[in-house]
Amino acid sequence: MLDDIKAAETAAVTTKKNAQLQARSLLREAEDTANAKGAELIYAAREEAKATVAQSQSDAQRKAAIMVSQRSQEDNSAAAKARAHLPEAVKFIVERAMV
């Protein structure tokens, strides 16, 4: 009977050690999986941020080009109006200078 008790105790200790080893192994696997998932999420977030920045830069360049074009048209229009009044302005200045 003592041998049976000792055998049962030895089996219990062995079972406990195996359970602890399995638990550690499961924990390591879970940590590795979590770390890999975290790295994937970080990579995906960085790539999304890069795409967002690139899109923003493209939008800003397009808007700047439109603004420059509009301002250029406004400047050309103002210059054309000024050129239209140039003969009158010269005539006015000459008349004032003669007096």
Side-chain angles (χ1 to χ4, degrees):
M1 188 148 177
L2 279 176
D3 290 337
D4 291 339
I5 294 172
K6 285 185 182 184
E9 286 177 348
T10 303
V13 168
T14 302
T15 302
K16 181 179 176 182
K17 286 181 182 179
N18 286 339
Q20 288 174 339
L21 287 173
Q22 286 178 338
R24 279 189 225 127
S25 178
L26 287 173
L27 181 60
R28 275 192 214 115
E29 288 176 18
E31 285 176 349
D32 290 345
T33 301
N35 287 336
K37 273 286 197 200
E40 289 174 12
L41 289 173
I42 290 170
Y43 178 78
R46 283 184 180 155
E47 291 302 310
E48 187 175 337
K50 285 180 188 177
T52 301
V53 168
Q55 182 63 41
S56 295
Q57 287 177 337
S58 175
D59 290 347
Q61 288 174 347
R62 183 180 48 78
K63 288 178 182 178
I66 290 170
M67 185 183 294
V68 167
S69 175
Q70 289 173 344
R71 296 283 168 88
S72 177
Q73 289 173 356
E74 291 169 3
D75 291 347
N76 288 339
S77 176
K81 286 180 183 177
R83 276 194 228 76
H85 295 291
L86 187 61
E88 294 171 15
V90 170
K91 180 179 175 184
F92 178 78
I93 292 172
V94 168
E95 287 176 1
R96 293 287 177 178
M98 295 287 188
V99 176

